[in-house]
Amino acid sequence: IKEVKYTINKKARRIVSMNITIAGVGAMGSRFALMLHRAGHKVTLVDGWKEHVTAIQKDGLQANLNGEEVVAKLPIYLQSEVDPTLSNDLIILFTKAMQLEAMLADIQPLIHDNTAVLCLLNGIGHEEVIEKYVPRNQIMIGNTMWTAGMEEPGRAKLFGNGSIALKNLVADPKAEQAAYKVIETLNSAGLNAQYTENILYAIYKKACVNGTMNSLCTLLLANMADFGDTTPAHNIVVKIVSEFAEVAKHENVDLNVTETVDYIEKNCYNRDTIGLHYPSMYQDLNEHNRLTKIDYINGAIARKGQQYGVDTPYCALITELVHCKEQLLCAK
Ligand code: NAD
């Protein structure tokens, strides 16, 4: 595995300012927008949540960034009203999974020949949607350990540190060079990005965390540590991760079940760190009545399982149960 690590250094300050559009400016989009803006890049925002867009147009994008109150007056467009003359070196996609395709359709006029398009959404298979709208050699995929939350329209809560793993979708020297340029840009803002050769492994591993903790805590109305304390927890997590691993094999990803289960149990059940947290899917559905991204996590495994002839009874059932719950709660 070739892994090249970048860290923020003085050289990063000499980086040329990039024209960056953040497509989807919820919690994570706000974090990236504010950090890249602070580093001197020209950041434009695009979003579909009208109340939020209006609040930002009026008062700027506001956040509590590690205890510091910050505000940035950034140009923002409703995604149905983008300005096609905007030049874009980089577009960062930060919608929820189920909003991705509509966003790509709306921002198509902003995707030029040299625009890099970076997807850091959690979940599996987003590249299949993106490549309907973006040439494959301009797509970069990855995931991030940064976190963020929304407080109200126009205002985010941004605490802690994180990192980003990314790679160009196609093996091509020019695409790889473009990915390194994006990494330099992200690192100029302290976003701690690194080129990760085995990016599908990183994406599948994170999807295993979401495919166990997000969906199970959402269904069981539990935080991660409380779920972890139940007697059946270990067996259920092993079964789900095994389904992910079987499907992953068909995409040349070698996901070690024991190691991944161990990673989930050591990290997610720890009451001193994140164990008491209710995952984002829990919050989306149970607290905000929003539809979930289950089709892009356990649902993606069930779908791909059918395609590859792999049995995925746990993922299939969990997907249906979450959809039942969405309907019972009239989620939108
Ligand atoms: P988010 O829900 O805050 O924002 C996503 C989109 O939903 C934005 O366009 C936002 O404007 C819109 N939205 C938010 N609240 C809304 C409301 N009440 N009504 C209508 N629209 C609303 O999502 P996020 O947390 O920024 O996550 C974006 C992507 O990043 C997801 O794919 C997620 O998996 C991934 N991600 C999130 C985190 C995290 O800590 N939040 C961490 C890593 C990856």
Side-chain angles (χ1 to χ4, degrees):
I1 299 174
K2 181 179 143 205
E3 207 164 65
V4 181
K5 293 194 177 172
Y6 274 71
T7 49
I8 315 155
N9 57 32
K10 285 181 191 142
K11 267 194 208 155
R13 301 202 174 281
R14 292 204 294 273
I15 277 177
V16 184
S17 164
M18 271 218 188
N19 293 322
I20 302 170
T21 292
I22 310 283
V25 199
M28 290 299 279
S30 298
R31 171 184 279 292
F32 276 56
L34 286 166
M35 291 177 75
L36 287 160
H37 167 69
R38 283 186 143 197
H41 298 286
K42 186 172 171 293
V43 178
T44 302
L45 314 176
V46 175
D47 201 76
W49 182 14
K50 197 158 195 315
E51 217 183 332
H52 183 51
V53 171
T54 308
I56 295 174
Q57 280 165 341
K58 186 167 165 275
D59 298 321
L61 176 61
Q62 301 178 32
N64 180 341
L65 180 59
N66 292 328
E68 183 193 353
E69 288 300 320
V70 296
V71 57
K73 277 277 182 190
L74 297 174
I76 180 159
Y77 298 87
L78 264 177
Q79 66 189 68
S80 52
E81 297 171 5
V82 292
D83 173 2
T85 62
L86 266 182
S87 78
N88 267 309
D89 303 308
L90 171 63
I91 295 177
I92 306 179
L93 301 166
F94 258 135
T95 60
K96 288 281 191 196
M98 53 284 187
Q99 304 163 326
L100 180 62
E101 181 142 16
M103 174 62 83
L104 284 160
D106 283 336
I107 64 168
Q108 196 143 41
L110 306 183
I111 303 166
H112 311 298
D113 284 353
N114 289 319
T115 307
V117 177
L118 171 63
C119 174
L120 296 176
L121 273 62
N122 286 335
I124 288 175
H126 299 311
E127 59 279 9
E128 290 158 23
V129 176
I130 303 171
E131 61 192 33
K132 290 196 225 164
Y133 300 88
V134 186
R136 281 171 62 81
N137 62 352
Q138 290 172 233
I139 302 173
M140 289 159 206
I141 55 170
N143 64 20
T144 175
M145 296 298 159
W146 288 96
T147 60
M150 287 300 295
E151 281 190 340
E152 58 188 19
R155 190 176 160 77
K157 195 162 93 183
L158 313 171
F159 279 86
N161 284 311
S163 58
I164 300 165
L166 69 86
K167 187 179 181 286
N168 37 297
L169 185 62
V170 290
D172 163 68
K174 257 181 98 178
E176 182 172 328
Q177 209 183 353
Y180 276 107
K181 200 166 157 209
V182 168
I183 286 169
E184 279 190 350
T185 303
L186 296 170
N187 285 341
S188 71
L191 280 159
N192 197 16
Q194 66 182 52
Y195 192 87
T196 303
E197 191 63 48
N198 206 352
I199 196 67
L200 272 185
Y201 172 83
I203 289 173
Y204 262 95
K205 190 167 172 188
K206 190 160 189 210
C208 283
V209 179
N210 290 319
T212 49
M213 295 301 106
N214 269 266
S215 38
L216 295 170
C217 292
T218 302
L219 288 170
L220 297 169
L221 294 179
N223 64 39
M224 298 188 286
D226 286 350
F227 165 71
D229 279 348
T230 65
T231 321
H234 177 73
N235 179 49
I236 299 174
V237 170
V238 170
K239 288 283 188 349
I240 295 173
V241 171
S242 303
E243 292 181 5
F244 274 73
E246 277 306 305
V247 167
K249 266 188 208 159
H250 289 263
E251 301 191 352
N252 299 322
V253 177
D254 183 15
L255 196 66
N256 183 306
V257 175
T258 312
E259 205 180 283
T260 308
V261 170
D262 216 41
Y263 173 83
I264 292 169
E265 293 179 340
K266 283 214 173 83
N267 288 287
C268 300
Y269 302 160
N270 185 339
R271 290 178 187 271
D272 295 327
T273 54
I274 56 170
L276 300 180
H277 177 69
Y278 290 84
S280 62
M281 189 185 290
Y282 174 103
Q283 295 176 37
D284 281 344
L285 182 56
N286 295 315
E287 291 176 2
H288 304 299
N289 245 28
R290 294 180 68 195
L291 292 169
T292 70
K293 54 190 176 197
I294 195 71
D295 285 338
Y296 304 88
I297 306 173
N298 304 78
I301 295 303
R303 227 172 23 249
K304 283 174 184 273
Q306 274 193 341
Q307 190 186 326
Y308 299 136
V310 173
D311 275 347
T312 59
Y314 276 70
C315 283
L317 177 62
I318 283 170
T319 304
E320 290 191 325
L321 288 175
V322 171
H323 283 318
C324 282
K325 192 161 192 184
E326 287 173 339
Q327 290 177 24
L328 289 168
L329 294 175
C330 301
K332 287 199 196 93

